[in-house]
Amino acid sequence: MFIKKKWFLVYTCVKLETMYKAENLLANHGILYKTNSFSRNLTSAMRDFNSGRLPLFRSGREETIYRIYTSKENEEKAKFLLSTI
């Protein structure tokens, strides 16, 4: 029987460099993780795509949010390690 593993959010950041540091830290300690990124600029463009209007892009820097998820067993250890970044 296949048991689906649940993933819990342990870290959120907005800089790609910080995301790489967090990934390396978890990998060096043998913690399995999943990542997810969310770009506000992309969602603004996709929201306006079907309306036939020109897409409205936000000015300034790109706003991407990076998230790291781990299993319940590794949640506390990962949060502790990531608090050092």
Side-chain angles (χ1 to χ4, degrees):
M1 178 179 195
F2 180 72
I3 299 173
K4 187 175 180 178
K5 185 183 275 192
K6 290 190 177 186
W7 297 88
F8 297 87
L9 180 65
V10 293
Y11 192 70
T12 303
C13 61
V14 292
K15 292 184 178 180
L16 186 57
E17 180 181 339
T18 308
M19 178 68 163
Y20 287 141
K21 287 180 185 178
E23 286 181 340
N24 287 335
L25 186 63
L26 294 177
N28 289 340
H29 285 86
I31 297 176
L32 295 177
Y33 62 91
K34 287 186 177 185
T35 61
N36 185 344
S37 63
F38 175 78
S39 174
R40 290 186 178 201
N41 288 340
L42 179 60
T43 55
S44 294
M46 295 305 287
R47 183 176 49 241
D48 293 331
F49 181 73
N50 291 330
S51 66
R53 298 181 297 159
L54 292 175
L56 301 173
F57 292 99
R58 298 173 193 261
S59 60
R61 65 180 178 84
E62 183 177 336
E63 296 177 357
T64 303
I65 300 169
Y66 303 99
R67 297 181 179 129
I68 297 179
Y69 300 87
T70 62
S71 64
K72 184 68 174 172
E73 300 83 36
N74 293 321
E75 182 181 16
E76 292 300 319
K77 184 178 178 183
K79 284 182 178 181
F80 175 75
L81 290 171
L82 294 171
S83 69
T84 63
I85 294 179

